[in-house]
Amino acid sequence: MSGPSAALKPPANAVAPVRHPDAPAPGELLGAHYEQCFGCGGEQAHGLHLAARAGDGVTVTAEFTVRTAHQGAPGLAHGGVLASALDETLGSLNWLLRTIAVTGRLETEYVRPVPVGTLLYLEAEVTAVARRKIYSTATGRIGGPDGPVAVRAEALFIEVKVDHFIDNGRPQEIQAAMSNPDQVRRARAFEVNP
């Protein structure tokens, strides 16, 4: 990227992110925040089934394998699918802050094609926080942490209250998520969706 747009540059009063004391430990698999999520949910037949792990500080790593259902051009991942993988990975960072936030802006740079059958390894980190705004970056590499860079992203997430989802989501899904007896799963259902 030639540099983020002005909307993605943290203001002068931004502070370094602070990992929440109750955040998952480094190396811990974060799991799906919601089983119907296209990015990480296990109940989505054509979803990414992205698996994210907590890293040190306010970082995560994630992986997903590009499948036939993720094609754009023949044999290559659709750019929107790659953007979704970046967005899902970036959104997972908010679990380390223990903040409910939604994507406000996502800028993606496509560096090289990603063939079907490829493992895409993603790394993301929060770079700054300014009140309700969370600034972050991510990189996707082909095959693993040392593979060639395929995609990059810069993002701005906005902290919201759970009412954002209750007021705007389809009632039957909201009620099902709110009825989950597991408090952590109930809270995570509303973690990253716009």
Side-chain angles (χ1 to χ4, degrees), residues 22-172:
D22 295 331
E28 187 174 331
L29 185 63
L30 299 180
H33 73 92
Y34 178 58
E35 288 301 320
Q36 290 296 323
C37 175
F38 174 77
C40 64
E43 293 180 16
Q44 283 291 339
H46 298 296
L48 303 180
H49 302 160
L50 189 133
R53 288 189 182 280
D56 293 324
V58 189
T59 66
V60 297
T61 60
E63 295 181 348
F64 93 99
T65 300
V66 178
R67 296 180 294 153
T68 302
H70 303 146
Q71 293 183 85
L76 297 173
H78 189 287
V81 167
L82 297 175
S84 293
L86 288 161
D87 185 47
E88 185 68 30
T89 303
L90 289 157
S92 296
L93 290 164
N94 297 316
W95 186 241
L96 303 180
L97 299 172
R98 297 296 297 264
T99 299
I100 298 172
V102 297
T103 309
R105 186 175 190 98
L106 176 69
E107 290 186 13
T108 305
E109 177 185 18
Y110 301 94
V111 178
R112 69 181 64 235
V114 179
V116 169
T118 297
L119 171 79
L120 191 65
Y121 178 85
L122 300 123
E123 298 173 299
E125 71 174 317
V126 175
T127 58
V129 176
R131 298 174 40 153
R132 293 179 48 228
K133 294 182 177 182
I134 302 164
Y135 298 85
S136 53
T137 63
T139 302
R141 295 177 178 273
I142 292 175
D146 298 321
V149 173
V151 290
R152 293 186 188 102
E154 304 230 12
L156 169 65
F157 281 76
I158 309 296
E159 182 178 355
V160 296
K161 302 289 184 209
V162 74
D163 294 350
H164 168 86
F165 302 98
I166 294 168
D167 294 344
N168 295 293
R170 198 164 70 165
Q172 53 266 46

